PDB file of all heavy atoms in Angstrom:
ATOM      1  N   TYR N   1      11.600   0.448  -5.611  1.00  0.00           N
ATOM      2  CA  TYR N   1      10.376  -0.017  -4.944  1.00  0.00           C
ATOM      3  C   TYR N   1      10.629  -1.261  -4.105  1.00  0.00           C
ATOM      4  O   TYR N   1       9.801  -2.162  -4.025  1.00  0.00           O
ATOM      5  CB  TYR N   1       9.260  -0.227  -5.967  1.00  0.00           C
ATOM      6  CG  TYR N   1       8.813   1.071  -6.589  1.00  0.00           C
ATOM      7  CD1 TYR N   1       9.359   1.533  -7.792  1.00  0.00           C
ATOM      8  CD2 TYR N   1       7.880   1.883  -5.957  1.00  0.00           C
ATOM      9  CE1 TYR N   1       8.976   2.755  -8.343  1.00  0.00           C
ATOM     10  CE2 TYR N   1       7.489   3.100  -6.498  1.00  0.00           C
ATOM     11  CZ  TYR N   1       8.036   3.527  -7.692  1.00  0.00           C
ATOM     12  OH  TYR N   1       7.653   4.741  -8.231  1.00  0.00           O
ATOM     13  N   GLN N   2      11.805  -1.293  -3.467  1.00  0.00           N
ATOM     14  CA  GLN N   2      12.207  -2.394  -2.603  1.00  0.00           C
ATOM     15  C   GLN N   2      12.129  -1.985  -1.137  1.00  0.00           C
ATOM     16  O   GLN N   2      12.155  -0.795  -0.804  1.00  0.00           O
ATOM     17  CB  GLN N   2      13.662  -2.797  -2.900  1.00  0.00           C
ATOM     18  CG  GLN N   2      13.916  -3.260  -4.314  1.00  0.00           C
ATOM     19  CD  GLN N   2      13.356  -4.643  -4.560  1.00  0.00           C
ATOM     20  OE1 GLN N   2      13.681  -5.602  -3.858  1.00  0.00           O
ATOM     21  NE2 GLN N   2      12.504  -4.752  -5.556  1.00  0.00           N
ATOM     22  N   ASP N   3      12.075  -2.968  -0.258  1.00  0.00           N
ATOM     23  CA  ASP N   3      12.303  -2.725   1.163  1.00  0.00           C
ATOM     24  C   ASP N   3      13.808  -2.669   1.388  1.00  0.00           C
ATOM     25  O   ASP N   3      14.533  -3.613   1.042  1.00  0.00           O
ATOM     26  CB  ASP N   3      11.700  -3.848   2.013  1.00  0.00           C
ATOM     27  CG  ASP N   3      10.193  -3.722   2.164  1.00  0.00           C
ATOM     28  OD1 ASP N   3       9.632  -2.665   1.803  1.00  0.00           O
ATOM     29  OD2 ASP N   3       9.568  -4.698   2.627  1.00  0.00           O
ATOM     30  N   VAL N   4      14.291  -1.564   1.947  1.00  0.00           N
ATOM     31  CA  VAL N   4      15.720  -1.397   2.241  1.00  0.00           C
ATOM     32  C   VAL N   4      15.844  -1.047   3.720  1.00  0.00           C
ATOM     33  O   VAL N   4      15.958   0.130   4.096  1.00  0.00           O
ATOM     34  CB  VAL N   4      16.358  -0.302   1.360  1.00  0.00           C
ATOM     35  CG1 VAL N   4      17.877  -0.298   1.529  1.00  0.00           C
ATOM     36  CG2 VAL N   4      15.988  -0.492  -0.108  1.00  0.00           C
ATOM     37  N   PRO N   5      15.787  -2.048   4.605  1.00  0.00           N
ATOM     38  CA  PRO N   5      15.785  -1.779   6.046  1.00  0.00           C
ATOM     39  C   PRO N   5      16.993  -0.979   6.500  1.00  0.00           C
ATOM     40  O   PRO N   5      16.889  -0.149   7.413  1.00  0.00           O
ATOM     41  CB  PRO N   5      15.789  -3.192   6.658  1.00  0.00           C
ATOM     42  CG  PRO N   5      15.192  -4.062   5.592  1.00  0.00           C
ATOM     43  CD  PRO N   5      15.655  -3.488   4.292  1.00  0.00           C
ATOM     44  N   GLY N   6      18.149  -1.182   5.873  1.00  0.00           N
ATOM     45  CA  GLY N   6      19.351  -0.470   6.279  1.00  0.00           C
ATOM     46  C   GLY N   6      19.265   1.019   6.082  1.00  0.00           C
ATOM     47  O   GLY N   6      20.008   1.793   6.710  1.00  0.00           O
ATOM     48  N   GLN N   7      18.379   1.473   5.211  1.00  0.00           N
ATOM     49  CA  GLN N   7      18.152   2.896   4.996  1.00  0.00           C
ATOM     50  C   GLN N   7      16.807   3.340   5.560  1.00  0.00           C
ATOM     51  O   GLN N   7      16.300   4.403   5.209  1.00  0.00           O
ATOM     52  CB  GLN N   7      18.243   3.220   3.505  1.00  0.00           C
ATOM     53  CG  GLN N   7      19.610   2.923   2.908  1.00  0.00           C
ATOM     54  CD  GLN N   7      19.767   3.474   1.511  1.00  0.00           C
ATOM     55  OE1 GLN N   7      19.274   4.559   1.187  1.00  0.00           O
ATOM     56  NE2 GLN N   7      20.465   2.748   0.660  1.00  0.00           N
ATOM     57  N   MET N   8      16.235   2.510   6.420  1.00  0.00           N
ATOM     58  CA  MET N   8      14.955   2.794   7.073  1.00  0.00           C
ATOM     59  C   MET N   8      13.870   3.130   6.045  1.00  0.00           C
ATOM     60  O   MET N   8      13.055   4.030   6.237  1.00  0.00           O
ATOM     61  CB  MET N   8      15.103   3.922   8.097  1.00  0.00           C
ATOM     62  CG  MET N   8      16.002   3.550   9.261  1.00  0.00           C
ATOM     63  SD  MET N   8      16.068   4.813  10.558  1.00  0.00           S
ATOM     64  CE  MET N   8      16.929   6.130   9.698  1.00  0.00           C
ATOM     65  N   THR N   9      13.903   2.400   4.939  1.00  0.00           N
ATOM     66  CA  THR N   9      12.956   2.629   3.852  1.00  0.00           C
ATOM     67  C   THR N   9      12.343   1.303   3.431  1.00  0.00           C
ATOM     68  O   THR N   9      13.041   0.431   2.897  1.00  0.00           O
ATOM     69  CB  THR N   9      13.661   3.281   2.639  1.00  0.00           C
ATOM     70  OG1 THR N   9      14.198   4.540   3.041  1.00  0.00           O
ATOM     71  CG2 THR N   9      12.689   3.479   1.497  1.00  0.00           C
ATOM     72  N   LEU N  10      11.055   1.139   3.670  1.00  0.00           N
ATOM     73  CA  LEU N  10      10.342  -0.076   3.282  1.00  0.00           C
ATOM     74  C   LEU N  10       9.363   0.298   2.168  1.00  0.00           C
ATOM     75  O   LEU N  10       8.155   0.367   2.377  1.00  0.00           O
ATOM     76  CB  LEU N  10       9.620  -0.683   4.487  1.00  0.00           C
ATOM     77  CG  LEU N  10      10.502  -1.005   5.697  1.00  0.00           C
ATOM     78  CD1 LEU N  10       9.662  -1.614   6.815  1.00  0.00           C
ATOM     79  CD2 LEU N  10      11.654  -1.943   5.329  1.00  0.00           C
ATOM     80  N   TYR N  11       9.926   0.561   0.984  1.00  0.00           N
ATOM     81  CA  TYR N  11       9.091   1.089  -0.082  1.00  0.00           C
ATOM     82  C   TYR N  11       8.174   0.038  -0.679  1.00  0.00           C
ATOM     83  O   TYR N  11       7.082   0.339  -1.148  1.00  0.00           O
ATOM     84  CB  TYR N  11       9.947   1.736  -1.176  1.00  0.00           C
ATOM     85  CG  TYR N  11       9.299   2.980  -1.726  1.00  0.00           C
ATOM     86  CD1 TYR N  11       9.388   4.190  -1.044  1.00  0.00           C
ATOM     87  CD2 TYR N  11       8.539   2.948  -2.876  1.00  0.00           C
ATOM     88  CE1 TYR N  11       8.764   5.327  -1.505  1.00  0.00           C
ATOM     89  CE2 TYR N  11       7.903   4.083  -3.346  1.00  0.00           C
ATOM     90  CZ  TYR N  11       8.025   5.266  -2.671  1.00  0.00           C
ATOM     91  OH  TYR N  11       7.390   6.378  -3.117  1.00  0.00           O
ATOM     92  N   SER N  12       8.584  -1.216  -0.673  1.00  0.00           N
ATOM     93  CA  SER N  12       7.710  -2.295  -1.128  1.00  0.00           C
ATOM     94  C   SER N  12       6.515  -2.430  -0.190  1.00  0.00           C
ATOM     95  O   SER N  12       5.365  -2.526  -0.642  1.00  0.00           O
ATOM     96  CB  SER N  12       8.480  -3.617  -1.205  1.00  0.00           C
ATOM     97  OG  SER N  12       7.604  -4.696  -1.478  1.00  0.00           O
ATOM     98  N   THR N  13       6.773  -2.425   1.089  1.00  0.00           N
ATOM     99  CA  THR N  13       5.689  -2.481   2.076  1.00  0.00           C
ATOM    100  C   THR N  13       4.767  -1.283   1.923  1.00  0.00           C
ATOM    101  O   THR N  13       3.539  -1.406   2.047  1.00  0.00           O
ATOM    102  CB  THR N  13       6.269  -2.522   3.493  1.00  0.00           C
ATOM    103  OG1 THR N  13       7.108  -3.679   3.630  1.00  0.00           O
ATOM    104  CG2 THR N  13       5.173  -2.568   4.544  1.00  0.00           C
ATOM    105  N   PHE N  14       5.343  -0.125   1.629  1.00  0.00           N
ATOM    106  CA  PHE N  14       4.552   1.091   1.471  1.00  0.00           C
ATOM    107  C   PHE N  14       3.565   0.968   0.315  1.00  0.00           C
ATOM    108  O   PHE N  14       2.357   1.185   0.493  1.00  0.00           O
ATOM    109  CB  PHE N  14       5.486   2.282   1.255  1.00  0.00           C
ATOM    110  CG  PHE N  14       4.788   3.544   0.839  1.00  0.00           C
ATOM    111  CD1 PHE N  14       3.857   4.151   1.676  1.00  0.00           C
ATOM    112  CD2 PHE N  14       5.044   4.121  -0.393  1.00  0.00           C
ATOM    113  CE1 PHE N  14       3.200   5.316   1.296  1.00  0.00           C
ATOM    114  CE2 PHE N  14       4.398   5.282  -0.788  1.00  0.00           C
ATOM    115  CZ  PHE N  14       3.474   5.877   0.056  1.00  0.00           C
ATOM    116  N   VAL N  15       4.040   0.602  -0.886  1.00  0.00           N
ATOM    117  CA  VAL N  15       3.135   0.594  -2.045  1.00  0.00           C
ATOM    118  C   VAL N  15       2.255  -0.649  -2.093  1.00  0.00           C
ATOM    119  O   VAL N  15       1.136  -0.596  -2.627  1.00  0.00           O
ATOM    120  CB  VAL N  15       3.909   0.738  -3.375  1.00  0.00           C
ATOM    121  CG1 VAL N  15       4.676   2.035  -3.409  1.00  0.00           C
ATOM    122  CG2 VAL N  15       4.829  -0.453  -3.632  1.00  0.00           C
ATOM    123  N   GLY N  16       2.735  -1.757  -1.550  1.00  0.00           N
ATOM    124  CA  GLY N  16       1.980  -2.996  -1.671  1.00  0.00           C
ATOM    125  C   GLY N  16       0.999  -3.261  -0.551  1.00  0.00           C
ATOM    126  O   GLY N  16       0.064  -4.059  -0.714  1.00  0.00           O
ATOM    127  N   LYS N  17       1.182  -2.578   0.573  1.00  0.00           N
ATOM    128  CA  LYS N  17       0.327  -2.853   1.727  1.00  0.00           C
ATOM    129  C   LYS N  17      -0.195  -1.574   2.378  1.00  0.00           C
ATOM    130  O   LYS N  17      -1.401  -1.327   2.405  1.00  0.00           O
ATOM    131  CB  LYS N  17       1.099  -3.686   2.756  1.00  0.00           C
ATOM    132  CG  LYS N  17       0.271  -4.117   3.940  1.00  0.00           C
ATOM    133  CD  LYS N  17       1.081  -5.005   4.897  1.00  0.00           C
ATOM    134  CE  LYS N  17       0.238  -5.426   6.088  1.00  0.00           C
ATOM    135  NZ  LYS N  17       1.023  -6.273   7.044  1.00  0.00           N
ATOM    136  N   GLU N  18       0.724  -0.750   2.886  1.00  0.00           N
ATOM    137  CA  GLU N  18       0.300   0.415   3.666  1.00  0.00           C
ATOM    138  C   GLU N  18      -0.531   1.400   2.851  1.00  0.00           C
ATOM    139  O   GLU N  18      -1.580   1.870   3.307  1.00  0.00           O
ATOM    140  CB  GLU N  18       1.517   1.129   4.241  1.00  0.00           C
ATOM    141  CG  GLU N  18       1.169   2.348   5.083  1.00  0.00           C
ATOM    142  CD  GLU N  18       2.400   3.118   5.515  1.00  0.00           C
ATOM    143  OE1 GLU N  18       3.132   2.607   6.389  1.00  0.00           O
ATOM    144  OE2 GLU N  18       2.628   4.225   4.979  1.00  0.00           O
ATOM    145  N   LEU N  19      -0.074   1.730   1.648  1.00  0.00           N
ATOM    146  CA  LEU N  19      -0.791   2.694   0.822  1.00  0.00           C
ATOM    147  C   LEU N  19      -2.188   2.201   0.477  1.00  0.00           C
ATOM    148  O   LEU N  19      -3.147   2.987   0.450  1.00  0.00           O
ATOM    149  CB  LEU N  19       0.006   2.980  -0.454  1.00  0.00           C
ATOM    150  CG  LEU N  19      -0.557   4.068  -1.377  1.00  0.00           C
ATOM    151  CD1 LEU N  19      -0.598   5.411  -0.672  1.00  0.00           C
ATOM    152  CD2 LEU N  19       0.274   4.147  -2.660  1.00  0.00           C
ATOM    153  N   VAL N  20      -2.321   0.928   0.213  1.00  0.00           N
ATOM    154  CA  VAL N  20      -3.636   0.356  -0.082  1.00  0.00           C
ATOM    155  C   VAL N  20      -4.552   0.504   1.126  1.00  0.00           C
ATOM    156  O   VAL N  20      -5.706   0.933   1.003  1.00  0.00           O
ATOM    157  CB  VAL N  20      -3.503  -1.125  -0.493  1.00  0.00           C
ATOM    158  CG1 VAL N  20      -4.874  -1.748  -0.697  1.00  0.00           C
ATOM    159  CG2 VAL N  20      -2.661  -1.257  -1.766  1.00  0.00           C
ATOM    160  N   GLU N  21      -4.046   0.173   2.288  1.00  0.00           N
ATOM    161  CA  GLU N  21      -4.854   0.258   3.499  1.00  0.00           C
ATOM    162  C   GLU N  21      -5.261   1.698   3.797  1.00  0.00           C
ATOM    163  O   GLU N  21      -6.434   1.983   4.105  1.00  0.00           O
ATOM    164  CB  GLU N  21      -4.072  -0.314   4.684  1.00  0.00           C
ATOM    165  CG  GLU N  21      -3.805  -1.815   4.580  1.00  0.00           C
ATOM    166  CD  GLU N  21      -2.867  -2.320   5.662  1.00  0.00           C
ATOM    167  OE1 GLU N  21      -2.299  -1.477   6.401  1.00  0.00           O
ATOM    168  OE2 GLU N  21      -2.688  -3.548   5.761  1.00  0.00           O
ATOM    169  N   GLU N  22      -4.311   2.627   3.692  1.00  0.00           N
ATOM    170  CA  GLU N  22      -4.595   4.024   4.024  1.00  0.00           C
ATOM    171  C   GLU N  22      -5.619   4.632   3.065  1.00  0.00           C
ATOM    172  O   GLU N  22      -6.538   5.341   3.488  1.00  0.00           O
ATOM    173  CB  GLU N  22      -3.300   4.844   3.994  1.00  0.00           C
ATOM    174  CG  GLU N  22      -2.335   4.543   5.121  1.00  0.00           C
ATOM    175  CD  GLU N  22      -2.825   5.052   6.467  1.00  0.00           C
ATOM    176  OE1 GLU N  22      -3.673   5.969   6.490  1.00  0.00           O
ATOM    177  OE2 GLU N  22      -2.347   4.540   7.499  1.00  0.00           O
ATOM    178  N   THR N  23      -5.472   4.372   1.778  1.00  0.00           N
ATOM    179  CA  THR N  23      -6.402   4.974   0.811  1.00  0.00           C
ATOM    180  C   THR N  23      -7.776   4.324   0.872  1.00  0.00           C
ATOM    181  O   THR N  23      -8.793   4.995   0.690  1.00  0.00           O
ATOM    182  CB  THR N  23      -5.833   4.886  -0.610  1.00  0.00           C
ATOM    183  OG1 THR N  23      -5.423   3.538  -0.901  1.00  0.00           O
ATOM    184  CG2 THR N  23      -4.634   5.813  -0.772  1.00  0.00           C
ATOM    185  N   ARG N  24      -7.828   3.047   1.158  1.00  0.00           N
ATOM    186  CA  ARG N  24      -9.130   2.393   1.314  1.00  0.00           C
ATOM    187  C   ARG N  24      -9.863   2.923   2.533  1.00  0.00           C
ATOM    188  O   ARG N  24     -11.097   3.002   2.532  1.00  0.00           O
ATOM    189  CB  ARG N  24      -8.948   0.878   1.425  1.00  0.00           C
ATOM    190  CG  ARG N  24      -8.678   0.177   0.106  1.00  0.00           C
ATOM    191  CD  ARG N  24      -8.436  -1.300   0.321  1.00  0.00           C
ATOM    192  NE  ARG N  24      -8.346  -2.034  -0.939  1.00  0.00           N
ATOM    193  CZ  ARG N  24      -8.062  -3.336  -1.035  1.00  0.00           C
ATOM    194  NH1 ARG N  24      -7.833  -4.033   0.085  1.00  0.00           N
ATOM    195  NH2 ARG N  24      -8.010  -3.925  -2.201  1.00  0.00           N
ATOM    196  N   ASN N  25      -9.114   3.280   3.561  1.00  0.00           N
ATOM    197  CA  ASN N  25      -9.744   3.813   4.772  1.00  0.00           C
ATOM    198  C   ASN N  25     -10.183   5.269   4.603  1.00  0.00           C
ATOM    199  O   ASN N  25     -10.996   5.766   5.393  1.00  0.00           O
ATOM    200  CB  ASN N  25      -8.782   3.713   5.959  1.00  0.00           C
ATOM    201  CG  ASN N  25      -8.594   2.284   6.441  1.00  0.00           C
ATOM    202  OD1 ASN N  25      -9.448   1.429   6.211  1.00  0.00           O
ATOM    203  ND2 ASN N  25      -7.480   2.014   7.092  1.00  0.00           N
ATOM    204  N   THR N  26      -9.640   5.954   3.593  1.00  0.00           N
ATOM    205  CA  THR N  26      -9.912   7.374   3.407  1.00  0.00           C
ATOM    206  C   THR N  26     -10.904   7.649   2.287  1.00  0.00           C
ATOM    207  O   THR N  26     -11.704   8.595   2.380  1.00  0.00           O
ATOM    208  CB  THR N  26      -8.595   8.121   3.123  1.00  0.00           C
ATOM    209  OG1 THR N  26      -7.648   7.826   4.155  1.00  0.00           O
ATOM    210  CG2 THR N  26      -8.817   9.632   3.063  1.00  0.00           C
ATOM    211  N   PHE N  27     -10.863   6.848   1.228  1.00  0.00           N
ATOM    212  CA  PHE N  27     -11.679   7.084   0.033  1.00  0.00           C
ATOM    213  C   PHE N  27     -12.595   5.880  -0.240  1.00  0.00           C
ATOM    214  O   PHE N  27     -12.335   4.772   0.245  1.00  0.00           O
ATOM    215  CB  PHE N  27     -10.778   7.338  -1.175  1.00  0.00           C
ATOM    216  CG  PHE N  27      -9.881   8.526  -1.025  1.00  0.00           C
ATOM    217  CD1 PHE N  27      -8.558   8.371  -0.629  1.00  0.00           C
ATOM    218  CD2 PHE N  27     -10.354   9.810  -1.259  1.00  0.00           C
ATOM    219  CE1 PHE N  27      -7.722   9.468  -0.476  1.00  0.00           C
ATOM    220  CE2 PHE N  27      -9.534  10.909  -1.114  1.00  0.00           C
ATOM    221  CZ  PHE N  27      -8.210  10.745  -0.721  1.00  0.00           C
ATOM    222  N   PRO N  28     -13.645   6.086  -1.037  1.00  0.00           N
ATOM    223  CA  PRO N  28     -14.582   4.982  -1.330  1.00  0.00           C
ATOM    224  C   PRO N  28     -14.038   4.030  -2.399  1.00  0.00           C
ATOM    225  O   PRO N  28     -14.519   3.990  -3.530  1.00  0.00           O
ATOM    226  CB  PRO N  28     -15.833   5.728  -1.817  1.00  0.00           C
ATOM    227  CG  PRO N  28     -15.297   6.954  -2.477  1.00  0.00           C
ATOM    228  CD  PRO N  28     -14.102   7.361  -1.648  1.00  0.00           C
ATOM    229  N   LEU N  29     -13.015   3.267  -2.031  1.00  0.00           N
ATOM    230  CA  LEU N  29     -12.362   2.346  -2.947  1.00  0.00           C
ATOM    231  C   LEU N  29     -12.785   0.915  -2.645  1.00  0.00           C
ATOM    232  O   LEU N  29     -12.984   0.536  -1.484  1.00  0.00           O
ATOM    233  CB  LEU N  29     -10.840   2.453  -2.817  1.00  0.00           C
ATOM    234  CG  LEU N  29     -10.249   3.856  -2.923  1.00  0.00           C
ATOM    235  CD1 LEU N  29      -8.726   3.786  -2.804  1.00  0.00           C
ATOM    236  CD2 LEU N  29     -10.656   4.535  -4.220  1.00  0.00           C
ATOM    237  N   SER N  30     -12.897   0.129  -3.689  1.00  0.00           N
ATOM    238  CA  SER N  30     -13.253  -1.277  -3.512  1.00  0.00           C
ATOM    239  C   SER N  30     -12.157  -2.012  -2.739  1.00  0.00           C
ATOM    240  O   SER N  30     -10.968  -1.748  -2.927  1.00  0.00           O
ATOM    241  CB  SER N  30     -13.448  -1.935  -4.872  1.00  0.00           C
ATOM    242  OG  SER N  30     -13.655  -3.335  -4.723  1.00  0.00           O
ATOM    243  N   ARG N  31     -12.558  -2.920  -1.888  1.00  0.00           N
ATOM    244  CA  ARG N  31     -11.616  -3.754  -1.147  1.00  0.00           C
ATOM    245  C   ARG N  31     -11.458  -5.135  -1.778  1.00  0.00           C
ATOM    246  O   ARG N  31     -10.784  -5.999  -1.217  1.00  0.00           O
ATOM    247  CB  ARG N  31     -12.067  -3.884   0.307  1.00  0.00           C
ATOM    248  CG  ARG N  31     -12.035  -2.549   1.057  1.00  0.00           C
ATOM    249  CD  ARG N  31     -12.567  -2.649   2.471  1.00  0.00           C
ATOM    250  NE  ARG N  31     -12.463  -1.371   3.164  1.00  0.00           N
ATOM    251  CZ  ARG N  31     -11.422  -0.983   3.898  1.00  0.00           C
ATOM    252  NH1 ARG N  31     -10.401  -1.811   4.061  1.00  0.00           N
ATOM    253  NH2 ARG N  31     -11.404   0.211   4.478  1.00  0.00           N
ATOM    254  N   LYS N  32     -12.053  -5.322  -2.931  1.00  0.00           N
ATOM    255  CA  LYS N  32     -11.980  -6.620  -3.597  1.00  0.00           C
ATOM    256  C   LYS N  32     -10.717  -6.743  -4.434  1.00  0.00           C
ATOM    257  O   LYS N  32     -10.315  -5.791  -5.112  1.00  0.00           O
ATOM    258  CB  LYS N  32     -13.197  -6.810  -4.504  1.00  0.00           C
ATOM    259  CG  LYS N  32     -14.527  -6.828  -3.783  1.00  0.00           C
ATOM    260  CD  LYS N  32     -15.672  -6.985  -4.769  1.00  0.00           C
ATOM    261  CE  LYS N  32     -17.019  -6.991  -4.068  1.00  0.00           C
ATOM    262  NZ  LYS N  32     -18.142  -7.114  -5.051  1.00  0.00           N
ATOM    263  N   ARG N  33     -10.122  -7.927  -4.414  1.00  0.00           N
ATOM    264  CA  ARG N  33      -8.927  -8.161  -5.218  1.00  0.00           C
ATOM    265  C   ARG N  33      -9.203  -7.943  -6.693  1.00  0.00           C
ATOM    266  O   ARG N  33      -8.384  -7.347  -7.409  1.00  0.00           O
ATOM    267  CB  ARG N  33      -8.412  -9.594  -4.992  1.00  0.00           C
ATOM    268  CG  ARG N  33      -7.183  -9.942  -5.858  1.00  0.00           C
ATOM    269  CD  ARG N  33      -6.742 -11.384  -5.635  1.00  0.00           C
ATOM    270  NE  ARG N  33      -5.548 -11.691  -6.415  1.00  0.00           N
ATOM    271  CZ  ARG N  33      -5.568 -12.218  -7.645  1.00  0.00           C
ATOM    272  NH1 ARG N  33      -6.742 -12.473  -8.227  1.00  0.00           N
ATOM    273  NH2 ARG N  33      -4.440 -12.460  -8.287  1.00  0.00           N
ATOM    274  N   GLU N  34     -10.345  -8.390  -7.185  1.00  0.00           N
ATOM    275  CA  GLU N  34     -10.644  -8.272  -8.611  1.00  0.00           C
ATOM    276  C   GLU N  34     -10.811  -6.826  -9.063  1.00  0.00           C
ATOM    277  O   GLU N  34     -10.810  -6.547 -10.266  1.00  0.00           O
ATOM    278  CB  GLU N  34     -11.893  -9.064  -8.969  1.00  0.00           C
ATOM    279  CG  GLU N  34     -13.155  -8.640  -8.248  1.00  0.00           C
ATOM    280  CD  GLU N  34     -13.460  -9.486  -7.026  1.00  0.00           C
ATOM    281  OE1 GLU N  34     -12.499  -9.949  -6.356  1.00  0.00           O
ATOM    282  OE2 GLU N  34     -14.655  -9.683  -6.730  1.00  0.00           O
ATOM    283  N   ASP N  35     -10.912  -5.883  -8.113  1.00  0.00           N
ATOM    284  CA  ASP N  35     -11.065  -4.469  -8.436  1.00  0.00           C
ATOM    285  C   ASP N  35      -9.800  -3.664  -8.141  1.00  0.00           C
ATOM    286  O   ASP N  35      -9.821  -2.438  -8.239  1.00  0.00           O
ATOM    287  CB  ASP N  35     -12.214  -3.856  -7.634  1.00  0.00           C
ATOM    288  CG  ASP N  35     -13.572  -4.413  -8.028  1.00  0.00           C
ATOM    289  OD1 ASP N  35     -13.717  -4.895  -9.157  1.00  0.00           O
ATOM    290  OD2 ASP N  35     -14.495  -4.360  -7.187  1.00  0.00           O
ATOM    291  N   THR N  36      -8.722  -4.319  -7.773  1.00  0.00           N
ATOM    292  CA  THR N  36      -7.523  -3.618  -7.312  1.00  0.00           C
ATOM    293  C   THR N  36      -6.332  -3.988  -8.193  1.00  0.00           C
ATOM    294  O   THR N  36      -6.002  -5.169  -8.346  1.00  0.00           O
ATOM    295  CB  THR N  36      -7.225  -3.971  -5.847  1.00  0.00           C
ATOM    296  OG1 THR N  36      -8.401  -3.753  -5.054  1.00  0.00           O
ATOM    297  CG2 THR N  36      -6.090  -3.113  -5.308  1.00  0.00           C
TER     298      THR N  36
END
């Protein structure tokens, strides 16, 4: 679950940022820190 730029894989960025943004934009999920 690390960012490994040399292998074109930013898995930390994926789970910690991108996935949160994408699922919040698609499903009725809370955007509050205390709910995440």
Side-chain angles (χ1 to χ4, degrees):
Y1 293 94
Q2 300 286 304
D3 282 349
V4 189
Q7 298 190 37
M8 295 185 292
T9 299
L10 304 181
Y11 218 80
S12 172
T13 301
F14 170 62
V15 300
K17 185 177 180 181
E18 181 186 288
L19 185 62
V20 176
E21 294 172 352
E22 290 289 338
T23 51
R24 283 177 173 176
N25 288 337
T26 307
F27 300 98
L29 308 181
S30 174
R31 295 176 177 269
K32 297 179 181 179
R33 177 182 182 268
E34 60 263 33
D35 293 336
T36 308

